[in-house]
Amino acid sequence: MNGTARARQREETRRTLVRESRRLFAARGYGAVGLSEIVRAAGVTKGALYHHFDSKAELFRAVVEQVQQEVGRRVAEGADAMDDPWDQLVAGCEAFLAAGADPEVQQIMLIDGPAVLGWNEWRAMDEAASASHLADALAALVEAGVIAGQPLAPLTHLLSGAMNEAALWLASSTGPNDLADTQAALVRMLESLRVRS
């Protein structure tokens, strides 16, 4: 086997490990899934797993990163579907809440993520995946005079924290209108930021 074929095989093994562990973590939670089960599902040896990841926690980190990137893409797609910068902010925030209603996202990104990785690491990953988009959107709206000039870091963290908390609440809510009601409440909260002429 040449070097290119080996590299492709290594990458395929890594993708399989991430895919299968993601499926298992989403279904049962990080704590209930063992390495033996992951390698069995992926059809590889523990040696192959350890070639790619030093630990179960490192494998989980790769899964969280993948989920956060997917949520970030969904938020960006929701925002990019709008032309007006204000509508982009609202659509992106609504898309985040909708993505957070997905049980897989809830379990991996919102429930197990902070518990397994620790708050600081999880927060840094969240910042890289979606909070930076929120900060950019808010900065553009402040610059355009749509939102009153103010320090953006506190505002970004307040909104991000509110949306993360709402997504966690949605994970355990049972009302058929809870997502729509939460999105409506978020829009009302965002509207309070707008400068009225």
Side-chain angles (χ1 to χ4, degrees):
M1 190 181 298
N2 65 33
T4 303
R6 273 195 298 276
R8 271 197 305 268
Q9 184 179 22
R10 279 193 302 272
E11 185 52 36
E12 181 56 32
T13 299
R14 186 181 195 286
R15 273 196 302 272
T16 300
L17 283 164
V18 171
R19 181 185 66 241
E20 292 302 317
S21 61
R22 176 178 175 165
R23 181 180 61 80
L24 293 166
F25 293 147
R28 297 204 335 267
Y30 176 86
V33 177
L35 285 178
S36 296
E37 187 176 4
I38 291 169
V39 296
R40 192 170 44 254
V44 301
T45 64
K46 278 193 180 178
L49 183 143
Y50 285 121
H51 176 76
H52 294 279
F53 302 99
D54 290 337
S55 64
K56 178 179 153 185
E58 187 179 326
L59 174 57
F60 180 73
R61 186 187 195 289
V63 169
V64 172
E65 191 170 60
Q66 183 184 73
V67 171
Q68 284 184 323
Q69 287 170 354
E70 289 171 10
V71 169
R73 279 193 297 276
R74 288 167 72 176
V75 167
E77 287 168 6
D80 292 345
M82 302 296 173
D83 293 325
D84 178 73
W86 177 259
D87 294 336
Q88 288 175 341
L89 171 70
V90 172
C93 291
E94 288 177 328
F96 176 83
L97 288 178
D102 178 334
E104 182 175 288
V105 171
Q106 292 168 350
Q107 185 64 51
I108 292 171
M109 189 175 94
L110 299 170
I111 297 169
D112 285 341
V116 174
L117 300 174
W119 180 253
N120 289 336
E121 183 175 357
W122 181 84
R123 215 32 219 129
M125 291 173 71
D126 181 56
E127 181 80 26
S130 59
S132 63
H133 297 299
L134 178 59
D136 292 344
L138 292 170
L141 290 167
V142 166
E143 188 174 316
V146 176
I147 293 176
Q150 59 189 289
L152 290 175
L155 180 60
T156 300
H157 283 85
L158 283 165
L159 288 177
S160 178
M163 287 187 289
N164 282 334
E165 182 62 30
L168 280 170
W169 175 75
L170 286 168
S172 62
S173 71
T174 56
N177 297 322
D178 286 347
L179 175 59
D181 290 345
T182 303
Q183 287 174 322
L186 176 64
V187 170
R188 287 190 297 274
M189 187 172 78
L190 291 173
E191 283 292 338
S192 71
L193 297 172
R194 287 182 88 163
V195 172
R196 301 291 177 211
S197 50

